[in-house]
Amino acid sequence: MSGRKPIPKAIKKVLRTEVGFGCPVKGCGNPYLEYHHFDPPVSVRAHNEPEGMIALCAQHHKKADGGAYTVDQLHALKRDKVNADLVKGSLDWLRKDLLAVVGGNFYYETPKIITIDNVDLVSLVRDEHGYLRLNVNMLSLEPEERIIIEDNSWENIGSPIDLRSPPQGKELEVSYPNGDYLYLRFIELKSKEQAIKKYGYNVFDDLTFPITAVEVNMTIAGTRIELTPDSSQIGGIQMTGSLSSHCGGGILIQKTGLYWKQNPVWKRQNL
């Protein structure tokens, strides 16, 4: 994610598919992936050749960069189709219908969860296999690098003070020194009764269970924009407990008048 030539999307797709759409290290399966060049490493020769690359989560990519795995071990992970099938099976929660829980309201099968000033901050779209793919483009008033995820692929992250994404990928938490913050938590809900008990609202009659709920917490430091699953701080009167289905978007904030400065290096590299 530094100055090397960007990896083509088609190569990323090949590498994600190869490992079953999740990190291939045993017991991990995290679906948010980076791409490790190991045969040869880019320090020897810059390349984007899929036979010498592997998709790994951020944690195991860092370990691979530190020499935790041999070339033979990484090739073995690429060839392990049994584990790839197990990983793919463990991610079936990403194939269920989606309920976004943010700002005290519910958005059913609504891909664009948060949009501010025409930037989709958090969205989940389905690929050709029916799996939800996470997209994050975090805004900031600071001219610093912030998290970008495109279709479950880490594109940028910056220098967070904390980053947490446990195996299986059902949580993603990132915080920055100025107070910018994002926390996503995915929960499997088996029935309407379970959803009512958890959230305290009886608005789920028309939903098809089981579903996957994603709870969103987000703060943009220096602004009045703060969202939790239970409430929102945007200004004005807020309505909670409503459910919208199959809409174009969830939380929509436009014409803030704020000057967004995040990701200056990433922007220059991708012009």
Side-chain angles (χ1 to χ4, degrees), residues 192 196 202-209 243:
K192 180 182 76 171
I196 294 171
N202 189 359
V203 293
F204 308 111
D205 286 344
D206 297 327
L207 276 58
T208 301
F209 288 87
L243 184 144

Side-chain angles (χ1 to χ4, degrees), residues 102-178:
V102 58
N105 295 303
F106 307 94
Y107 302 93
Y108 181 58
E109 283 295 283
T110 299
K112 295 182 179 182
I113 298 172
I114 302 174
T115 300
I116 300 177
D117 289 340
N118 296 315
V119 176
D120 295 330
L121 275 75
V122 179
S123 61
L124 284 136
V125 297
R126 294 192 187 276
D127 64 14
E128 66 272 25
H129 305 283
Y131 289 91
L132 290 164
R133 298 299 176 217
L134 177 64
N135 292 268
V136 174
N137 192 341
M138 194 167 185
L139 294 176
S140 180
L141 297 180
E142 298 293 326
E144 299 171 354
E145 301 305 300
R146 290 293 182 263
I147 182 174
I148 297 175
I149 296 176
E150 293 183 356
D151 295 337
N152 276 22
S153 295
W154 290 95
E155 300 295 331
N156 203 23
I157 187 165
S159 301
I161 56 174
D162 189 33
L163 172 65
R164 191 170 64 88
S165 183
Q168 302 304 317
K170 290 186 177 179
E171 291 182 89
L172 175 62
E173 186 173 25
V174 59
S175 55
Y176 292 90
N178 73 322

Side-chain angles (χ1 to χ4, degrees), residues 7-269:
I7 303 169
K9 287 186 177 181
I11 300 285
K12 292 179 180 179
K13 181 179 177 181
V14 167
L15 295 171
R16 288 199 302 268
T17 303
E18 179 179 63
V19 296
F21 306 105
C23 181
V25 175
K26 297 294 191 294
C28 185
N30 192 308
Y32 314 123
L33 298 169
E34 297 180 345
Y35 304 93
H36 179 56
H37 301 73
F38 69 94
D39 191 12
V42 290
S43 58
V44 174
R45 176 171 61 83
H47 70 92
N48 282 320
E49 299 164 359
E51 59 272 16
M53 301 168 63
I54 188 170
L56 298 167
C57 72
Q59 177 187 1
H60 289 115
H61 187 188
K62 185 176 181 179
K63 289 184 177 180
D65 280 339
Y69 311 105
T70 67
V71 169
D72 287 344
Q73 286 173 326
L74 292 169
H75 276 299
L77 287 174
K78 286 170 66 69
R79 293 192 303 266
D80 192 343
K81 300 308 177 188
V82 173
N83 187 66
D85 287 341
L86 289 173
V87 169
K88 189 174 180 180
S90 74
L91 297 175
D92 274 349
W93 57 275
L94 287 169
R95 294 170 61 88
K96 295 180 173 67
D97 286 358
L98 179 72
L99 179 70
V101 185
V102 58
N105 295 303
F106 307 94
Y107 302 93
Y108 181 58
E109 283 295 283
T110 299
K112 295 182 179 182
I113 298 172
I114 302 174
T115 300
I116 300 177
D117 289 340
N118 296 315
V119 176
D120 295 330
L121 275 75
V122 179
S123 61
L124 284 136
V125 297
R126 294 192 187 276
D127 64 14
E128 66 272 25
H129 305 283
Y131 289 91
L132 290 164
R133 298 299 176 217
L134 177 64
N135 292 268
V136 174
N137 192 341
M138 194 167 185
L139 294 176
S140 180
L141 297 180
E142 298 293 326
E144 299 171 354
E145 301 305 300
R146 290 293 182 263
I147 182 174
I148 297 175
I149 296 176
E150 293 183 356
D151 295 337
N152 276 22
S153 295
W154 290 95
E155 300 295 331
N156 203 23
I157 187 165
S159 301
I161 56 174
D162 189 33
L163 172 65
R164 191 170 64 88
S165 183
Q168 302 304 317
K170 290 186 177 179
E171 291 182 89
L172 175 62
E173 186 173 25
V174 59
S175 55
Y176 292 90
N178 73 322
D180 290 341
Y181 177 75
L182 179 68
Y183 174 47
L184 306 177
R185 181 170 69 155
F186 293 88
I187 302 168
E188 296 180 77
L189 298 173
K190 294 181 172 60
S191 66
K192 180 182 76 171
E193 291 72 25
Q194 184 183 359
I196 294 171
K197 182 177 180 180
K198 178 164 183 56
Y199 296 115
Y201 294 102
N202 189 359
V203 293
F204 308 111
D205 286 344
D206 297 327
L207 276 58
T208 301
F209 288 87
I211 62 174
T212 293
V214 56
E215 298 179 345
V216 182
N217 294 263
M218 187 192 73
T219 299
I220 304 179
T223 75
R224 294 186 61 195
I225 300 172
E226 183 174 351
L227 300 167
T228 73
D230 303 317
S231 64
S232 62
Q233 178 179 306
I234 305 171
I237 299 173
Q238 302 300 322
M239 180 183 297
T240 60
S242 67
L243 184 144
S244 302
S245 179
H246 296 87
C247 1
I251 300 289
L252 177 63
I253 308 170
Q254 299 286 49
K255 298 181 179 179
T256 65
L258 297 169
Y259 179 41
W260 305 112
K261 301 178 183 178
Q262 76 288 342
N263 297 319
V265 173
W266 189 89
K267 289 174 183 175
R268 288 197 300 270
Q269 290 177 341

